[in-house]
Amino acid sequence: MHTLLPWPYPFWIAHRGAGKLAPENTLAAFRAGQALGYRMAECDVTLTADEQPFLLHDATLERTTDGRGLAAEHAWSALAGLDAGAWHGPRFRGERLPTLEALADHARHSGLLLNLELKPGPGQAARTGAVVAREVARLWADLTPPLLSSFECASLEAARAAVEPLPRALLLERLTPGWLDTARGLGCAAVVVHCGALDVAAIARAHEAGLRVLSYTVNRAAEARRLQAAGIDGLITDAVDRFAPD
């Protein structure tokens, strides 16, 4: 049995900044989540064609900006002026895509802790992990570092090779055979698992292996209570206005 290491992160984590209350992955979303008492947020980081890390969930721009096409095919100069807020509502018109550096500056001044999901563009899994890890090490040098998570093992492996001490987490939609060995082999500190795939036994197995367990995306009170009773270490939620964070 492995000992669980100290865990610096709070229990409640705001999904993409503020769930559905603000345009996801924007500074407006982080401010909205923090206004409701959340001290930690989950968000998505990817790379431009010129390797600028910035926040975006989708591989393409259409859903959450007024841009078009694959984000990874554009230089930052082409993305910096896009509107990333108007899709959510007129009061967010003009909200921009944040760079990782802008997010770090916000975190430094507000105390926000972060779970950064590595979201590589096509063929960019390893490069995204390496570039983001190096930038995180630079930008959060004297702060509690973000937890780096990904579904992409290549991203986590590259992040580990670039800056091994950064905490990492394997994202899992379901618990496929060997999931625990995979997470441990990647040197992860945690797993982040879809709420429907977790039970008491799975959480206990992860804890015995020295891994913390987080769950996404927990929006129902009954599900939150079930996972809390099972010993979960943290919950990622869209329902930021319905759960009172610690």
Side-chain angles (χ1 to χ4, degrees):
M1 180 173 177
H2 297 261
T3 302
L4 285 171
L5 296 176
W7 189 246
Y9 306 110
F11 184 83
W12 286 103
I13 304 165
H15 190 222
R16 302 183 194 174
K20 308 296 184 183
L21 298 185
E24 64 185 59
N25 291 316
T26 64
L27 295 181
F30 299 120
R31 289 191 291 266
Q34 286 177 284
L36 291 168
Y38 283 78
R39 296 186 294 114
M40 184 169 179
E42 181 269 357
C43 59
D44 306 283
V45 61
T46 190
L47 298 182
T48 62
D50 51 348
E51 297 193 345
Q52 171 73 257
F54 75 104
L55 306 191
L56 187 73
H57 177 273
D58 299 0
T60 55
L61 297 161
E62 283 84 350
R63 183 176 66 87
T64 58
T65 80
D66 56 352
R68 298 185 64 81
L70 282 170
E73 294 180 348
H74 296 275
W76 175 245
S77 59
L79 302 181
L82 293 181
D83 191 321
W87 68 273
H88 192 277
R91 72 188 182 98
F92 294 108
R93 188 176 303 279
E95 191 70 25
R96 301 303 179 200
L97 293 166
T99 62
L100 187 61
E101 185 163 7
L103 176 59
D105 186 63
H106 174 80
R108 179 176 299 277
H109 290 94
S110 70
L112 183 67
L113 298 174
L114 291 155
N115 167 201
L116 299 179
E117 181 181 346
L118 304 171
K119 298 286 285 193
Q124 291 293 310
R127 193 66 188 152
T128 301
V131 170
V132 171
R134 286 195 291 268
E135 282 296 281
V136 164
R138 179 179 70 88
L139 294 167
W140 275 266
D142 56 346
L143 302 172
T144 300
L147 176 67
L148 303 183
S149 65
S150 189
F151 288 102
E152 299 285 347
C153 291
S155 291
L156 294 172
E157 190 60 70
R160 181 188 193 182
V163 189
E164 186 167 4
L166 290 176
R168 297 172 303 280
L170 178 62
L171 269 161
L172 297 163
E173 186 174 1
R174 57 188 181 277
L175 300 180
T176 54
W179 65 274
L180 202 52
D181 290 337
T182 299
R184 289 187 61 196
L186 289 165
C188 289
V191 289
V192 184
V193 185
H194 185 273
C195 56
L198 282 171
D199 57 20
V200 172
I203 293 170
R205 285 184 64 202
H207 283 168
E208 288 168 4
L211 295 169
R212 299 285 181 167
V213 186
L214 310 181
S215 187
Y216 73 95
T217 305
V218 180
N219 297 329
R220 296 185 298 110
E223 187 77 331
R225 288 193 298 269
R226 179 184 75 83
L227 291 168
Q228 284 177 295
I232 200 84
D233 296 292
L235 297 179
I236 299 169
T237 184
D238 284 321
V240 295
D241 54 344
R242 298 202 297 274
F243 292 120
D246 53 350

